[in-house]
Amino acid sequence: MEKKNVPSTLSRLAGIFWVNREIRKSGKVVDEKADEEEIEITPFEGEVARVGLDAAMTINLGNYQSAKVGVFLSVPCYPEEVAEVFDVVKATVEKRMAEEVAEVQEMKKKGAFS
């Protein structure tokens, strides 16, 4: 089937990028951040699949504190593109996860959690 990048009567699908961070002290959330970004995409015609990946990491901040960082990305694609799109989604999630973890570690280094 030929893919057409033209508006159609099909509803537009969007990709979703979600990032969250929780800082806990003695098991209680003391700070949190949550961002959700909708990613504009070209309309699809025909059958559509969705590729998503969720990653999370808990970082020990010492003194009974921890930070949990999570990144989720979900994007639509054509079924025959799932493997290729998964590789792109995985690389994107890994990059964003590294950025978020580095931000928490920099905050720790500056004494933000003391």
Side-chain angles (χ1 to χ4, degrees):
M1 172 196 293
E2 180 182 329
K3 297 174 202 158
K4 299 178 183 177
N5 291 326
V6 295
S8 70
T9 57
L10 296 176
S11 63
R12 289 182 62 89
L13 297 171
I16 299 170
F17 208 156
W18 182 72
V19 178
N20 82 324
R21 178 175 64 217
E22 272 185 358
I23 309 298
R24 293 180 173 265
K25 185 170 187 173
S26 299
K28 295 182 182 180
V29 176
V30 294
D31 187 36
E32 59 187 324
K33 163 189 154 184
D35 293 318
E36 185 176 314
E37 177 183 336
E38 188 174 286
I39 302 167
E40 288 291 322
I41 60 151
T42 305
F44 286 85
E45 290 196 17
E47 189 176 348
V48 178
R50 186 167 284 275
V51 174
L53 184 64
D54 190 8
M57 175 183 279
T58 300
I59 304 162
N60 184 350
L61 302 173
N63 199 24
Y64 302 100
Q65 296 182 78
S66 64
K68 183 173 183 181
V69 177
V71 176
F72 173 73
L73 176 59
S74 175
V75 294
C77 65
Y78 288 102
E80 63 271 16
E81 298 173 333
V82 167
E84 179 183 336
V85 171
F86 177 80
D87 291 340
V88 173
V89 167
K90 181 180 177 200
T92 303
V93 167
E94 287 173 346
K95 180 178 184 279
R96 185 62 179 265
M97 195 62 178
E99 291 169 359
E100 294 295 322
V101 169
E103 183 179 334
V104 169
Q105 290 173 335
E106 184 64 27
M107 291 169 70
K108 178 181 176 184
K109 186 177 175 181
K110 291 181 178 179
F113 308 115
S114 299

